[in-house]
Amino acid sequence: MSKKIKRIGVMTSGGDAPGMNAAIRSVARTCAFHNIECVGIYRGYEGMIEGDFTELTARNVKGIINKGGTILKSARSKEFRTADGRKKAYATLTANGIDGLVTIGGDGTFNGALIFNKEYGFPVMGIPGTIDNDIFGTSHTLGYDTALNTVVDCIDKIRDTASSHNRLFFVEVMGRDAGHIALNVGIGAGAEEILIPEEDLGLDRLLESLRRSKKSGKSSSIVVVAEGDKIGKTVFELKDYVEENMTEYEVRVSVLGHMQRGGPPSCFDRVLASRMGVKAVESLMEGQSNFMVGLVSDKIELTPLENAVKGKSEINKELIRVSDIMTT
Ligand code: F6P
């Protein structure tokens, strides 16, 4: 029988994502519901080492469900990657009576939790929070849906100016090594081409496709480029390349950058965060550890953290075909 959990620490780590605050609120309120104490750990593993903590109650997490970013701040800790750093973190947690941990973040965060559990047997539960949606074991990570809506909104605006000037725009979107954001916003915003790391379109096919779209009467075009795309050129080099090879196009580049990570979470992300927080706390209470909570066929399920880290979240191939048909 595992020991009864009395005091849970919650932290956010890695790149922030909309919905993280909603998840913190959910963890704190689920703890309060079950008469468990909840401690917020500032700046991820960095704050865990230093003991930068704050008590979280049902009441002091009010008014954050609609806020982007993370009230607990986020960091990527170098010290926690060392055995010495993790030893300090363990000492700080135990000195503060914390006996379970909910980590909200991406695969770097989960890798840290896994190794910490392996070394100290500390109960850990992960909640996937990243706009990239690049985590195995969940159809949606926290922040992904919000980022999709933010990016579609930006591209709609770029479309207005692109069509007014008959221009071609390369729009670079985030996603690290994954094309989930690019593929979905590309379809949602009606892009002419979508360049993602999972599919190497090749420069020739890109030119061919742009020529076809010009011929078919389109005066402006949007090409969505995932930041991890492997076509071999940056968006700026792509602009030069297309301008050299297709003098009929006036080309502009827009790199959307970190604005994609900000803003109030969508309703979807708020509900998902609330569900994930409940499951994470109640799973720790049941004595479960080393799992990530995720959305699978609209149910909140547990996936071993190890699989979440090692597995690959595949893009939906059907979307590539849909996009091809839509650009006819
Ligand atoms: O993982 C989230 C993410 O926003 C990626 O899409 C992007 O590649 C990276 O973080 C940017 O990281 P930083 O905050 O260090 O600039």
Side-chain angles (χ1 to χ4, degrees):
M1 259 287 276
S2 54
K3 238 176 62 205
K4 194 170 172 290
I5 299 269
K6 295 200 180 89
R7 198 161 148 85
I8 287 178
V10 57
M11 54 168 248
T12 49
S13 164
D16 65 303
M20 281 185 162
N21 282 327
I24 294 166
R25 171 183 181 268
S26 170
V27 168
R29 292 214 167 148
T30 309
C31 283
F33 182 82
H34 290 292
N35 291 317
I36 293 173
E37 288 172 356
C38 186
V39 177
I41 301 168
Y42 285 113
R43 296 177 293 114
Y45 292 117
E46 206 64 24
M48 189 189 289
I49 292 169
E50 293 168 19
D52 193 3
F53 300 157
T54 182
E55 298 294 318
L56 295 180
T57 65
R59 290 287 68 77
N60 70 10
V61 291
K62 73 175 174 12
I64 63 168
I65 192 168
N66 55 339
K67 301 273 189 287
T70 160
I71 58 159
L72 292 176
K73 314 275 180 186
S74 194
R76 293 180 173 115
S77 172
K78 279 202 185 114
E79 200 180 353
F80 194 78
R81 289 199 201 127
T82 67
D84 201 37
R86 293 190 295 274
K87 192 173 168 195
K88 280 191 211 157
Y90 181 70
T92 316
L93 287 179
T94 47
N96 283 273
I98 297 171
D99 49 13
L101 192 62
V102 177
T103 59
I104 308 169
D107 57 357
T109 308
F110 297 161
N111 266 320
L114 267 177
I115 185 158
F116 192 57
N117 174 273
K118 201 166 163 205
E119 287 173 350
Y120 295 99
F122 205 89
V124 293
M125 204 51 70
I127 292 182
T130 163
I131 62 164
D132 302 336
N133 205 37
D134 58 349
I135 306 282
F136 177 83
T138 188
S139 62
H140 290 73
T141 54
L142 288 184
Y144 173 56
D145 180 69
T146 306
L148 292 182
N149 289 307
T150 302
V151 177
V152 160
D153 191 40
C154 290
I155 300 180
D156 284 348
K157 289 174 175 147
I158 291 171
R159 167 89 60 198
D160 289 344
T161 172
S163 59
S164 303
H165 289 269
N166 291 347
R167 282 173 173 164
L168 164 65
F169 266 83
F170 285 103
V171 182
E172 188 190 276
V173 302
M174 279 187 168
R176 217 169 39 153
D177 300 322
H180 295 286
I181 295 180
L183 186 53
N184 281 272
V185 300
I187 294 174
E192 274 60 49
E193 269 305 342
I194 306 168
L195 308 185
I196 53 174
E198 293 85 349
E199 279 262 317
D200 188 5
L201 181 68
L203 288 168
D204 291 345
R205 245 199 71 196
L206 173 66
L207 284 185
E208 203 183 288
S209 149
L210 291 174
R211 285 198 181 106
R212 220 178 333 141
S213 100
K214 194 83 181 166
K215 240 191 183 158
S216 74
K218 291 185 187 171
S219 54
S220 66
S221 288
I222 305 273
V223 177
V224 174
V225 186
E227 65 175 341
D229 178 63
K230 302 208 165 53
I231 205 162
K233 290 192 186 294
T234 67
V235 265
F236 297 99
E237 290 164 351
L238 275 178
K239 167 191 184 310
D240 295 342
Y241 180 79
V242 170
E243 277 183 335
E244 273 160 30
N245 288 279
M246 294 184 72
T247 45
E248 63 271 40
Y249 265 125
E250 195 186 350
V251 190
R252 291 290 185 270
V253 170
S254 182
V255 177
L256 297 185
H258 289 77
M259 68 147 75
Q260 296 165 89
R261 287 216 309 237
S266 63
C267 182
F268 180 89
D269 275 329
R270 297 179 200 194
V271 175
L272 183 62
S274 305
R275 294 173 76 188
M276 285 179 165
V278 170
K279 183 74 173 180
V281 171
E282 292 187 341
S283 300
L284 280 173
M285 288 172 65
E286 286 162 10
Q288 314 255 34
S289 175
N290 273 359
F291 286 101
M292 179 194 81
V293 301
L295 188 67
V296 181
S297 307
D298 203 35
K299 289 204 166 60
I300 302 293
E301 307 272 4
L302 296 182
T303 295
L305 262 185
E306 200 160 349
N307 297 0
V309 166
K310 287 194 184 141
K312 192 165 164 25
S313 93
E314 303 285 348
I315 50 157
N316 182 349
K317 289 268 164 67
E318 182 217 335
L319 294 183
I320 295 179
R321 188 163 174 269
V322 169
S323 160
D324 286 345
I325 295 173
M326 289 305 109
T327 51
T328 305

